[in-house]
Amino acid sequence: MAQWTSAVGSAQLARLLTSQQARPAGAGTRRPPAYRALADGIRLLVLEGRVPVAARLPAERELAVALSVSRTTVAAAYEALRGEGFLESRRGAGSWTAVPAGNPLPARGLEPLPPEAVGSMIDLGCAALPAPEPWLTRAVQGALEELPPYAHTHGDYPAGLPALRAVLAERYTARGVPTMPEQIMVTTGAMGAIDAICHLFAGRGERIAVESPSYANILQLMREAGARLVPVAMAEGLRGWDLDRWRQVLRDAAPRLAYVVADFHNPTGALADEDQRRGLVDAARSAGTVLVVDETMSELRLDDVAMPRPACAFDPAGATVITVGSASKAFWAGMRIGWVRAAPDVIRSLVAARAYADLGTPVLEQLAVNWLLTTAGWQEAVDLRRAQARDNRDALVAAVRRELPDWEFDVPRGGLTLWVRTGGLSGSRLAEVGERVGVRVPSGPRFGVDGAFEGYVRLPFTVGGAVADEAAVRLAAAARLVETGAGGAVQGAYPFVA
């Protein structure tokens, strides 16, 4: 019986491998043999999870044709992978990917660095800051004071606590978008919200248009749900969406859903202007596409910049635009409270479907967020979060410019991430070698579709001061190892992002 559970075609594997190619080596740079480079490329794809474990690889002759190399090269690469434990084979069943004993399985989901590893590793994988105390403690204390009446109920509120739904509706109304509590559903984080939306609107095999690049965790969620992702390139720099490209994709591909981050986009930091928001909503309405707008970064304005109206302002009834918000980025990642704003019938459908998922969001955490939003706590905490992120951003930008002057980026005016072009180096190899020198960084392909953005990494504003300086020093050390070909094979855990 075959041991593989999926298959990777030769054209697909060739495309993924080609995306990893680094810039041409300079004088004196050691070039690995062709078979070694091929084996390393496949191993990287397995470690990143872009080629799953137990995936059947193409036959040697088939892959050799696709890569325009000799069959001997492919055979030697496969043999090297078998010797390292990354490939298993059996006559008549072919060869399939594996991981060596003692290595963790590459995650299909994306996880932050385990807390026990924090002392020895600088984690630039997770775009999240510590809680803005004392506001977390005060919010929990306030929630405990409000808890007794709820403790006498069943505690199951599939649409969310009525008090929190009302407060969230009031906040949208105050932003110029009249909203009723019936248009709000409270969820377990923004991921829970988008997962519910995808299951309701986009069944397996449905097309979902996404920005390119886009938020890695959401891309992975959609892949796991069986969606067919249709990438739409962002405009250059921080100019937001390319409306001509969006109109073409919406017209030609007719996706069921489209997912965008309008405010301080993750990973680029771009802020879509008001004309772009209006234009994309109009285009989605014309195409019959449901537009999911992620507002989780909307509170994280770091510079003095005028904020455009929310995208739902151009579809106030919620027939085309579904808005997702969260306390996780603006307040604390451990506060797993998100919400959806949509038409009442959409909310009713989401609530009904939820009975087969998580039933409801924890009451105590909802009460804590409600306390924050009904006192000065939320604004005080957000102001603190902005100051932390701004200081970290400025420190990280200065350190990277000093240690890695060939790396290119635009400094965003908000959000939590810096999208960096790595001077022609492979982002996947930088991520791999970075773990050896003590810095964890996610590579660009995590944020793309089909191997795009190999020449990028994402750096979050989660460290500052001397730690930001040391992170840049370690990144520079990793870059030198990659550039000279001296990085070697790193057979261990691989970075994940949040």
Side-chain angles (χ1 to χ4, degrees):
M1 180 177 177
Q3 301 298 306
W4 48 272
T5 57
S6 62
V8 181
S10 58
Q12 179 188 7
L13 184 56
R15 185 168 62 252
L16 291 169
L17 289 165
T18 300
S19 75
Q20 290 183 332
Q21 291 178 351
R23 66 184 177 189
T29 300
R30 293 187 299 164
R31 295 177 179 271
Y35 84 89
R36 184 68 263 172
L38 176 55
D40 287 346
I42 294 174
R43 177 174 51 80
L44 273 173
L45 293 173
V46 173
L47 286 172
E48 271 204 320
R50 288 194 282 152
V51 169
V53 175
R56 187 179 187 273
L57 295 185
E60 294 171 2
R61 188 185 304 278
E62 184 181 350
L63 184 59
V65 171
L67 294 174
S68 298
V69 299
S70 70
R71 182 179 177 182
T72 301
T73 296
V74 177
Y78 279 13
E79 183 59 33
L81 290 168
R82 278 190 288 269
E84 296 163 3
F86 284 93
L87 197 68
E88 296 181 10
S89 304
R90 193 172 71 236
R91 185 178 298 277
S95 300
W96 56 93
T97 56
V99 291
N103 275 48
L105 283 173
R108 300 301 291 158
L110 305 170
E111 303 168 357
L113 186 70
E116 62 270 16
V118 169
S120 60
M121 185 78 67
I122 297 176
D123 186 9
L124 297 181
C126 186
L129 290 162
E133 288 288 30
W135 299 108
L136 174 61
T137 298
R138 292 183 184 179
V140 173
Q141 290 170 342
L144 287 171
E145 293 176 2
E146 298 293 331
L147 183 61
Y150 294 94
H152 294 293
T153 74
H154 49 63
D156 187 1
Y157 297 88
L161 294 184
L164 181 55
R165 295 175 73 195
V167 168
L168 291 169
E170 289 171 6
R171 287 175 64 83
Y172 279 105
T173 299
R175 294 170 68 190
V177 189
T179 302
M180 303 178 295
E182 291 80 9
Q183 291 179 262
I184 300 292
M185 181 176 91
V186 181
T187 62
T188 307
M191 291 289 288
I194 294 171
D195 182 55
I197 292 166
C198 288
H199 279 90
L200 180 63
F201 285 96
R204 184 166 293 274
E206 292 273 10
R207 294 185 180 93
I208 301 179
V210 295
E211 297 154 319
S212 183
S214 186
Y215 180 34
N217 282 337
I218 295 299
L219 295 181
Q220 191 65 32
L221 182 155
M222 292 173 175
R223 290 187 187 103
E224 296 287 351
R228 298 164 62 188
L229 300 183
V230 182
V232 185
M234 297 284 286
E236 287 297 317
L238 299 176
R239 292 189 291 113
W241 301 322
D242 185 325
L243 280 183
D244 288 339
R245 287 173 174 165
W246 269 104
R247 291 188 183 102
Q248 180 179 354
V249 167
L250 293 175
R251 181 180 63 248
D252 296 346
R256 185 71 182 92
L257 282 180
Y259 167 79
V260 296
V261 183
D263 303 299
F264 308 120
H265 175 261
N266 186 352
T268 68
L271 176 66
D273 64 34
E274 196 155 299
D275 287 342
Q276 290 174 334
R277 296 170 193 234
R278 180 187 295 104
L280 186 54
V281 171
D282 289 345
R285 183 183 296 114
S286 297
T289 297
V290 175
L291 182 63
V292 181
V293 180
D294 185 332
E295 288 191 335
T296 54
M297 295 285 185
S298 63
E299 302 263 15
L300 294 174
R301 183 181 71 254
L302 306 185
D303 296 333
D304 186 13
V305 55
M307 292 297 293
R309 284 183 290 172
C312 57
F314 307 103
D315 179 52
T320 296
V321 177
I322 298 178
T323 304
V324 173
S326 171
S328 298
K329 295 298 185 184
F331 186 73
W332 184 47
M335 187 67 77
R336 304 305 304 160
I337 299 295
W339 52 86
V340 177
R341 182 203 179 274
D345 62 318
V346 172
I347 295 298
R348 286 193 293 270
S349 296
L350 288 169
V351 171
R354 191 175 196 178
Y356 307 101
D358 64 351
L359 293 179
T361 302
V363 169
L364 190 62
E365 291 188 29
Q366 291 187 73
L367 289 172
V369 172
N370 189 65
W371 183 91
L372 287 165
L373 293 175
T374 54
T375 66
W378 180 266
Q379 192 57 53
E380 293 280 356
V382 169
D383 288 345
L384 178 58
R385 171 67 75 239
R386 287 173 178 164
Q388 292 173 323
R390 184 185 304 113
D391 290 346
N392 288 354
R393 178 197 63 181
D394 296 347
L396 185 65
V397 164
V400 172
R401 282 177 171 165
R402 181 178 62 251
E403 300 294 336
L404 292 149
D406 291 340
W407 288 18
E408 303 172 40
F409 51 85
D410 295 293
V411 181
R413 306 187 71 180
L416 288 173
T417 57
L418 196 66
W419 185 237
V420 181
R421 185 182 289 109
T422 57
L425 298 178
S426 162
S428 294
R429 296 183 186 280
L430 281 166
E432 185 190 24
V433 176
E435 292 231 352
R436 168 181 273 186
V437 299
V439 60
R440 198 181 211 205
V441 57
S443 64
R446 286 285 187 186
F447 306 88
V449 177
D450 286 338
F453 306 111
E454 184 59 52
Y456 289 80
V457 294
R458 190 196 73 171
L459 306 180
F461 310 144
T462 52
V463 297
V467 180
D469 292 338
E470 179 60 23
V473 168
R474 296 184 188 186
L475 283 172
R480 286 192 295 271
L481 290 171
V482 171
E483 192 165 16
T484 61
V490 181
Q491 298 180 5
Y494 207 68
F496 309 107
V497 297

